[in-house]
Amino acid sequence: MVRRVAVIGAGAGGLVSVKCCLDEGLEPICFESSEDIGGVWRYTDSTDNSRVSVYRSVITNTSKEMSCFSDFPYPEDFPSYLPHSLVLEYFRMYAQHFDLLRHIRFQTTVLSVRKRPDFTTSGQWEVVTETNGVRESHVFDAVMVCTGHYQEPYLPLASFPGIESCFKGQHLHSREYRDVQAFRGKRVLVVGIGNTGGDLSVELSRVAAKVFLSTRSNTWVMSRVSDHGFPCDMVGTTRFNHLLDWLLPSALTRKIRFRKLNSWFNHANYGLASSKSSKFKMIINEELPFCLLSGTVVLKPNVKEFTENSAVFEDGTTEENIDVVLFATGYNFSFPFLEESVRSVIDDNRSLYKCIFPPQLEKPTLAIIGLIQLTGSIMVGSEMQARWVTGVFAGWNKLPPPSRMMADVLKRKPPVKRTPSERENLKMSFISYTDEIAAYAGVKPSVLRLLLTDPQLALAVFFGPCSPYQFRLVGRGRWSGARAAILSQWQRTLKPLRTRVVDGNSDSSPGRRWMCLLALPAALTAALLLAKYPQPGWRP
């Protein structure tokens, strides 16, 4: 029986893991190497230490209603998209509300996590930590690793001939970027067009002499602001849309998606993406199209090589007098504290059963939390992982035999190790993954059951945003405030905008009229389809 659980890291995943342990009656001790909670969301001006933090101007890509913990909504007066300071404030509120801080040991580094000699029968781990130079050994029944995947900068200098041997300018990874001051008046080349590369290109364009953005992949750009001014993830991430994606041929859904994105601006005209592309990579950025249109950011293909002061691109063009090359090429994850026999088999999250459990262990007492790439909030996915994992530790949830877990992993694992940018392109569906883990944990809501017992709630769950509160309606950890949170989520979205009231109609949610007309027959049809054709996959 698992009792004592070591939680490594006090970021979003670590905080929610401690809370889930407490919910299941377990005894967590969280080890945090820094002096405070927050993980990457705790901004610092310093780039000297090994801790990764967000840059000064960062704004969340997922809205507050779609990225909160499932039983603790953001304050209604917080804006829908948040700066790092408000995210950290929310974490502090969460930790205080659930009394989590007393379970965290700050400025304590985990040096090693090793199996105990009797691991095959006990499943226990020996954890060695260091605090202010003093080492201590602990024995835990289980370990939850919550260090995330923003750990070691991925800097593929070998792929760019001349960057180290010839180029006389400065080159750095986006981890070292904090604000624009050091780039004022300079000609800057940003390599990589993920969310970070897009954000930094836009920000630098306001002060740099010129910004060039180099990419080797097709990229679609989406705005945070969707139909009628609502957050894009609240409008797009619905069970109704998810069902359509499942029912319609993939070629048709891709065509619909491309047409929707091109209705904002034609991506081919901007050199970003073609609707003929078979791959679908998307970033969130409202300002990048205007920067390209105004010439303050110039899009370029992949860099072929660097000379003393210029960059030569694969299309044969050259840009002279480059002062700084900023690599926005992502991060590698690593778990240096894990013993070699465990660490060596974790190539990426597809080496783990359901992206969580190393399947080769004799006892499932080690869980990796937050090592996921989703089309929605990683915070929500991490919380669902933690709820399932702590249920497994407490004996409520069961895993299949190791042989079946290993077979599942081998079926999904890619044949070669992937780079961070390639992993970014392999994002999993937020609803598919979260629903799957929720089903294992016994907390997935049933639209059909809700339709029979609470039609108003059923329609909001099916047609409205797939917000985290849905996973607190049933099962262990059910929250009495979940129904009210779901039915009031649009009002909380609009509340911070009510700083000046004007005459005129104000829609509390998008598509209300047509939804009311189509809701009942569509929901009945969907519920019957889901009941007849459940998503494939093993259920404990």
Side-chain angles (χ1 to χ4, degrees):
M1 181 67 180
V2 169
R3 297 300 302 174
R4 299 184 74 238
V5 180
V7 178
I8 304 175
L15 291 175
V16 76
S17 293
V18 171
K19 194 260 186 184
C20 289
C21 283
L22 296 174
D23 288 345
E24 294 292 354
L26 306 176
E27 301 170 9
I29 298 179
C30 178
F31 300 108
E32 168 57 41
S33 60
S34 72
E35 68 278 6
D36 202 356
I37 64 172
V40 297
W41 287 102
R42 183 165 61 84
Y43 172 79
T44 175
D45 287 323
S46 173
T47 60
D48 294 336
N49 57 37
S50 60
R51 195 179 74 83
V52 176
S53 86
V54 294
Y55 41 94
R56 188 191 300 274
S57 62
V58 74
I59 299 290
T60 57
N61 285 331
T62 52
S63 65
K64 66 176 182 180
E65 295 297 322
M66 300 295 285
S67 58
C68 64
F69 297 124
S70 57
D71 55 355
F72 196 76
Y74 275 95
E76 63 176 9
D77 59 340
F78 275 30
S80 285
Y81 293 103
L82 303 149
H84 58 77
S85 58
L86 290 183
V87 176
L88 183 59
E89 182 179 341
Y90 172 73
F91 289 162
R92 296 196 193 285
M93 296 166 61
Y94 182 78
Q96 181 179 5
H97 182 80
F98 293 108
D99 194 21
L100 306 181
L101 294 181
R102 64 189 180 93
H103 300 280
I104 303 175
R105 296 188 183 180
F106 293 105
Q107 295 185 311
T108 300
T109 301
V110 174
L111 300 179
S112 67
V113 176
R114 299 184 180 280
K115 299 176 186 175
R116 295 269 292 167
D118 61 348
F119 180 84
T120 54
T121 56
S122 70
Q124 290 183 328
W125 300 85
E126 181 181 4
V127 178
V128 177
T129 62
E130 183 175 75
T131 307
N132 297 324
V134 178
R135 294 194 175 190
E136 187 177 358
S137 180
H138 319 258
V139 175
F140 286 97
D141 300 311
V143 176
M144 300 175 75
V145 179
C146 308
T147 52
H149 52 84
Y150 298 110
Q151 296 170 30
E152 296 182 354
Y154 175 65
L155 197 57
L157 298 181
S159 300
F160 299 93
I163 186 66
E164 293 181 288
S165 59
C166 297
F167 185 62
K168 301 300 183 183
Q170 179 187 9
H171 72 268
L172 68 159
H173 189 272
S174 58
R175 174 193 172 275
E176 301 177 62
Y177 179 90
R178 289 297 179 266
D179 56 36
V180 299
Q181 297 308 316
F183 301 86
R184 191 174 297 276
K186 296 184 177 181
R187 290 169 62 85
V188 183
L189 170 62
V190 178
V191 177
I193 195 175
N195 284 311
T196 298
D199 284 351
L200 299 191
S201 297
V202 168
E203 183 165 276
L204 289 169
S205 71
R206 301 187 181 107
V207 301
K210 197 72 172 180
V211 175
F212 303 96
L213 176 57
S214 169
T215 176
R216 63 181 180 181
S217 60
N218 285 327
T219 304
W220 296 88
V221 183
M222 185 175 183
S223 171
R224 293 176 179 86
V225 185
S226 187
D227 301 339
H228 306 287
F230 288 98
C232 65
D233 53 356
M234 294 186 72
V235 174
T237 310
T238 71
R239 295 185 179 278
F240 176 69
N241 289 340
H242 184 64
L243 179 63
L244 288 181
D245 285 343
W246 180 62
L247 290 174
L248 299 176
S250 59
L252 179 58
T253 58
R254 188 183 302 112
K255 184 176 181 180
I256 293 172
R257 189 176 291 118
F258 289 164
R259 178 173 295 181
K260 173 69 173 176
L261 291 168
N262 274 331
S263 68
W264 182 24
F265 70 95
N266 188 308
H267 285 64
N269 287 345
Y270 285 64
L272 284 163
S274 167
S275 56
K276 297 179 180 180
S277 172
S278 60
K279 295 183 178 180
F280 185 77
K281 175 184 176 181
M282 187 167 64
I283 65 171
I284 307 291
N285 199 303
E286 299 78 35
E287 299 177 76
L288 182 60
F290 175 72
C291 289
L292 294 172
L293 194 61
S294 63
T296 56
V297 175
V298 176
L299 197 66
K300 302 293 292 185
N302 194 40
V303 177
K304 179 182 179 181
E305 63 178 340
F306 288 93
T307 63
E308 284 193 3
N309 62 357
S310 63
V312 181
F313 299 92
E314 290 183 345
D315 62 354
T317 60
T318 301
E319 294 296 341
E320 304 284 351
N321 302 317
I322 300 296
D323 298 302
V324 183
V325 179
L326 181 58
F327 287 93
T329 44
Y331 291 83
N332 282 320
F333 64 85
S334 65
F335 308 108
F337 45 81
L338 290 179
E339 68 173 62
E340 175 61 23
S341 64
V342 177
R343 185 175 68 245
S344 62
V345 298
I346 306 178
D347 293 331
D348 59 21
N349 59 20
R350 284 168 170 77
S351 304
L352 305 170
Y353 181 66
K354 305 307 175 186
C355 304
I356 302 171
F357 292 100
Q360 74 279 7
L361 294 178
E362 300 90 337
K363 297 287 184 180
T365 55
L366 174 68
I368 312 295
I369 303 297
L371 192 66
I372 45 177
Q373 295 279 4
L374 300 177
T375 57
S377 170
I378 294 179
M379 279 175 53
V380 177
S382 296
E383 182 189 24
M384 188 55 63
Q385 289 180 326
R387 292 178 68 186
W388 180 38
V389 166
T390 52
V392 170
F393 291 167
W396 297 104
N397 302 321
K398 303 296 182 184
L399 293 177
S403 59
R404 290 182 62 181
M405 290 195 290
M406 183 64 76
D408 183 85
V409 166
L410 293 175
K411 181 174 63 177
R412 299 170 183 266
K413 188 176 179 181
V416 295
K417 189 173 181 178
R418 301 185 185 275
T419 67
S421 60
E422 290 171 331
R423 291 198 297 269
E424 177 74 13
N425 293 342
L426 290 172
K427 283 185 175 181
M428 296 177 288
S429 163
F430 171 79
I431 294 182
S432 293
Y433 182 76
T434 311
D435 266 358
E436 182 179 24
I437 303 304
Y440 296 158
V443 298
K444 179 185 175 183
S446 167
V447 175
L448 179 59
R449 187 174 293 112
L450 285 174
L451 194 62
L452 298 175
T453 59
D454 192 339
Q456 181 187 12
L457 180 60
L459 297 181
V461 166
F462 184 68
F463 287 104
C466 186
S467 48
Y469 322 118
Q470 294 191 9
F471 302 103
R472 290 287 179 176
L473 291 170
V474 297
R476 292 183 59 78
R478 179 179 178 180
W479 176 43
S480 60
R483 183 182 188 276
I486 293 171
L487 296 180
S488 60
Q489 57 196 348
W490 293 110
Q491 286 73 24
R492 283 194 305 280
T493 300
L494 294 176
K495 177 64 166 61
L497 300 175
R498 303 301 194 199
T499 54
R500 179 174 179 266
V501 180
V502 296
D503 295 333
N505 294 329
S506 175
D507 293 333
S508 59
S509 63
R512 177 176 291 274
R513 292 181 180 178
W514 72 263
M515 188 179 80
C516 291
L517 293 173
L518 300 176
L520 190 58
L524 282 170
T525 302
L528 292 173
L529 282 170
L530 290 172
K532 186 176 181 180
Y533 303 108
Q535 288 189 355
W538 178 82
R539 294 291 184 269

